[in-house]
Amino acid sequence: QVYLVESGGGSVQAGGSLRLSCAAPRAILSTFTETMAWYRQALGKERELVASIFYGGRTNYIDSVKGRFTISKDNRKRTMYLQMNNLKAEDTGVYYCNHHSQSGHDSWGQGTQVTVSA
């Protein structure tokens, strides 16, 4: 189990920006460089994968956020980020940080609320 702590959520108007952070303060480097991702869950909907970052830095995004969101990691700080620009009302939801180990185990953060008003 990897201990994950999220921060950075909040309320913004459409077109605004937010940066989410996910810290893994107890992770060793080899663990932190495994696959990590951001998921989100809107009210009444299933949790969906938003963006992933793999070992070596390759990234992947769902189509609806391409060109607006950027996932990144700072290995020295053991922190993953999600920079969200040009936010839309449909981006509203609880955002969760995820770590997926090579053995297939998933760890989750507590979630942080993002609310975008039209």
Side-chain angles (χ1 to χ4, degrees):
Q1 189 80 7
V2 178
Y3 176 61
L4 301 170
V5 181
E6 297 143 354
S7 60
S11 297
V12 295
Q13 290 187 331
S17 298
L18 285 173
R19 188 176 80 157
L20 306 183
S21 298
C22 172
R26 302 171 186 168
I28 60 175
L29 181 59
S30 60
T31 296
F32 187 74
T33 54
E34 293 175 322
T35 299
M36 294 185 70
W38 288 97
Y39 285 72
R40 69 186 178 191
Q41 188 167 19
L43 194 63
K45 295 187 177 181
E46 293 187 354
R47 191 174 297 190
E48 67 172 349
L49 176 62
V50 175
S52 303
I53 184 164
F54 303 96
Y55 179 82
R58 182 174 64 86
T59 58
N60 193 42
Y61 302 89
I62 57 171
D63 287 345
S64 61
V65 307
K66 285 181 180 177
R68 301 188 297 120
F69 290 13
T70 303
I71 188 171
S72 63
K73 275 184 180 180
D74 185 329
N75 289 338
R76 183 179 61 84
K77 294 182 178 180
R78 301 295 194 268
T79 303
M80 179 178 68
Y81 303 98
L82 185 67
Q83 177 66 44
M84 306 185 293
N85 298 327
N86 190 22
L87 282 160
K88 303 177 180 181
E90 52 264 40
D91 296 319
T92 293
V94 179
Y95 283 68
Y96 295 91
C97 170
N98 168 268
H99 174 274
H100 185 76
S101 72
Q102 288 186 345
S103 62
H105 181 78
D106 283 301
S107 300
W108 297 91
Q110 80 281 6
T112 186
Q113 176 70 44
V114 171
T115 303
V116 184
S117 56

